[in-house]
Amino acid sequence: MSSVPPALVDIMAAHQAIRGVAIETPAIRSSLGSDKAPIWLKLETLQPSGAFKLRGAANAVARLSPDARARGVVCCSTGNHGTALAYAAREMGVSATVCVSELVPEVKIHAIEAQGARVIKKGQSQDDAQIEANRLVAKEGVTDIPPFDHFDVISGQGTIGLELLRDLPELETVLVPLSGGGLAAGIAVAAKAIKPDIRIVGISMDRGAAMAESLRAARPVEVTEVPSLADSLGGGIGLQNQFSFDICRKLLDEVVLVAEEEIYRGMQSMFLQDRLVAEGACAVGHAAVLAGKIHLTGPTCSIITGRNIDMEQFTRVVTGQPVTLGDLVVRGT
């Protein structure tokens, strides 16, 4: 793998490589915002796998050598990357194994299995799942395709940035759910290469936000994972992080953290006002805007990252019922 981070040319190549597997998604106007500062929603929920992760996974599989394709692929995942890799691998005739922690919701495990992948549960964190993936690489010779800190994965996610500035060249700000940083890094590389003064804001939950804590510490650090409405944003960034941390450190203009109660209200707004069924991770943009944590002065786009949500939990949120997250009970107001 290259030690040089992805550039715009790599993202443009990825846009060609993923055609036929991932789709170009629309951006629709949100009920949030104003005439001066309209907010658009980039609907990655429409991807065949249900989330943006398909872009990076498809690019990574497409760039495998014939020998590597024959041996198969593996990853660790909090859900969406695993589903995406399973889908992309199936479409390209490659076997896939996905390692998950015990915190990953069953709905996401079923979605992975539905794409024909083998699922292995291991441990209480994404780091534990990665250890199992590493063991399979050594034992079975499969290729590890990590969920975010990977040249081809970041390049694939960056194709969102290409589409945004092609379709909405007037954009001033992009709101990006922030986890391991692959999405934010890819979008930032593409968007800032095309429009250097565009503002990229990473948004995460205020408990267990690995990239936010790492940026604050100026180095990758470990965090304790806790249950969250934005469960897709859980997991560490890896202490040996090669790409996503440095790109986020250099190119993100701001990082905003939102509380579970704010995510709850963001999910309600997305459904009741924008009529979107989407994960809590997608609602962090809505949450930050509604909580007054982001000041918008012009056209903005929020990335709606995925739809693979536990519908029982989603129903409780949108109907104003309490949701239990470990030792925390989140209630509507």
Side-chain angles (χ1 to χ4, degrees), residues 130-308:
Q130 183 62 59
I131 291 171
E132 177 64 12
N134 294 343
R135 186 187 70 81
L136 294 175
V137 169
K139 179 182 178 182
E140 301 179 3
V142 293
T143 297
D144 182 27
I145 299 181
F148 53 87
D149 190 35
H150 186 281
F151 186 98
D152 297 326
V153 170
I154 293 172
S155 298
Q157 319 306 26
T159 60
I160 293 174
L162 293 182
E163 293 171 20
L164 282 180
L165 288 179
R166 178 198 65 197
D167 298 340
L168 299 167
E170 71 277 15
L171 280 181
E172 288 188 6
T173 302
V174 183
L175 308 180
V176 188
L178 181 63
S179 179
L183 176 64
I187 289 176
V189 168
K192 285 187 176 285
I194 298 168
K195 189 174 184 177
D197 63 346
I198 197 167
R199 177 187 175 208
I200 309 294
V201 180
I203 312 175
S204 195
M205 64 282 193
D206 65 1
R207 306 188 309 157
M211 182 60 78
E213 291 295 332
S214 296
L215 293 172
R216 185 179 294 114
R219 60 181 175 82
V221 297
E222 293 181 337
V223 297
T224 300
E225 289 186 54
V226 295
S228 172
L229 288 171
D231 60 87
S232 294
L233 303 184
I237 70 167
L239 296 182
Q240 305 303 316
N241 188 286
Q242 186 175 8
F243 296 117
S244 65
F245 171 76
D246 280 339
I247 297 173
C248 287
R249 180 173 56 85
K250 293 173 182 176
L251 297 185
L252 289 189
D253 296 286
E254 186 178 354
V255 172
V256 173
L257 301 181
V258 289
E260 295 298 325
E261 293 79 6
E262 293 164 343
I263 298 171
Y264 187 109
R265 290 192 289 273
M267 293 174 69
Q268 289 183 322
S269 176
M270 269 200 316
F271 180 69
L272 298 174
Q273 274 71 56
D274 290 319
R275 301 295 192 263
L276 293 178
V277 176
E279 300 171 33
C282 309
V284 294
H286 278 64
V289 171
L290 290 169
K293 292 185 172 181
I294 295 178
H295 178 60
L296 301 177
T297 59
T300 298
C301 187
S302 182
I303 312 302
I304 307 302
T305 49
R307 66 173 187 262
N308 300 319

Side-chain angles (χ1 to χ4, degrees), residues 67-154:
D67 180 61
R69 287 191 182 207
R71 285 183 277 115
V73 294
V74 68
C75 73
C76 77
S77 175
T78 56
N80 284 337
H81 176 63
T83 304
L85 184 63
Y87 181 92
R90 187 191 68 186
E91 291 295 297
M92 299 182 194
V94 177
S95 63
T97 299
V98 179
C99 301
V100 301
S101 79
E102 298 287 345
L103 292 179
V104 173
E106 284 297 318
V107 64
K108 295 191 174 183
I109 292 174
H110 295 328
I112 295 168
E113 292 174 333
Q115 303 301 334
R118 174 177 58 161
V119 176
I120 298 176
K121 278 188 178 183
K122 202 73 173 181
Q124 294 298 314
S125 72
Q126 192 169 11
D127 290 337
D128 292 337
Q130 183 62 59
I131 291 171
E132 177 64 12
N134 294 343
R135 186 187 70 81
L136 294 175
V137 169
K139 179 182 178 182
E140 301 179 3
V142 293
T143 297
D144 182 27
I145 299 181
F148 53 87
D149 190 35
H150 186 281
F151 186 98
D152 297 326
V153 170
I154 293 172

